[in-house]
Amino acid sequence: MNRRVVISGCSGGGKSTLLEMLAGRGFTTVPEPGRRIVRDETARGGTALPWIDMAAFATRALALAQADHAAVAAAPDWVFFDRGIVDAAVALTSCADEAVLAPLVASHPYHPLMFLAPPWPEIYVRDAERPKDFATAMAEHAQLACAYPALGYHIVTLPQASPEQRAEFVLATLEQRP
């Protein structure tokens, strides 16, 4: 059974905090490619940043997401990804072009259930790695909410609850529908 689970959705929707909760319970988690790229590019004065060169940024994010996917291929338990290949490919194509995305997903599948963090303005925070406004984050969420089901994934919307409650929700949902 495929035990690689994507947690995606609105930027600033609490995905990284949820993954911290899951890691604290002993699960393998994979941090968001985009934030790692932003940190690296900023540290070295690079330009593969979404607000400077989206194509370069998304290309790097796609390669990193594919490497992350391969790195945990043999993991025996649940592995949780903060975003994944679909997110990077959507950013690269700027739309949910199924012709581009389908081959990527077929060669790098995740668990058929994916968890989507909805827009949550009360917890949204801009920072050095996420300078976009909330409206832009909502538009990104809408693209992902279309792309994942078009590729055969079943979206489970995360409740707007505490990180601990979200972790319990994810684990219970996976236990009910492995």
Side-chain angles (χ1 to χ4, degrees):
M1 174 186 5
N2 187 332
R3 299 178 77 75
R4 289 170 279 195
V5 179
V6 173
I7 299 172
S8 185
C10 191
S11 289
K15 298 178 301 299
S16 297
T17 303
L18 170 57
L19 264 75
E20 289 173 16
M21 292 289 117
L22 293 166
R25 292 170 184 230
F27 292 100
T28 300
T29 60
V30 180
E32 179 183 348
R35 281 198 178 259
R36 289 182 277 163
I37 294 165
V38 168
R39 274 186 229 113
D40 178 58
E41 289 293 308
T42 302
R44 63 185 189 88
T47 59
L49 297 163
W51 52 90
I52 295 175
D53 186 346
M54 178 55 105
F57 170 79
T59 299
R60 278 197 63 195
L62 184 56
L64 189 52
Q66 289 173 308
D68 289 343
H69 191 277
V72 297
D77 204 356
W78 295 113
V79 176
F80 297 95
F81 292 78
D82 188 341
R83 300 195 179 269
I85 292 168
V86 174
D87 299 66
V90 166
L92 185 59
T93 64
S94 297
C95 66
D97 182 355
E98 192 174 338
V100 172
L101 295 174
L104 283 170
V105 172
S107 63
H108 300 82
Y110 295 99
H111 190 278
L113 291 181
M114 64 81 56
F115 294 87
L116 195 68
W120 194 351
E122 292 82 9
I123 66 169
Y124 185 82
V125 177
R126 290 169 117 171
D127 59 31
E129 296 170 5
R130 183 180 37 231
K132 61 184 149 192
D133 61 19
F134 188 66
T136 303
M138 285 181 48
E140 171 190 55
H141 176 268
Q143 285 183 313
L144 296 168
C146 291
Y148 275 97
L151 295 165
Y153 290 95
H154 177 75
I155 289 178
V156 178
T157 302
L158 290 169
Q160 291 183 338
S162 73
E164 294 84 6
Q165 290 170 319
R166 280 182 156 189
E168 284 296 323
F169 174 81
V170 166
L171 296 172
T173 301
L174 290 170
E175 197 172 288
Q176 291 170 7
R177 299 190 332 203

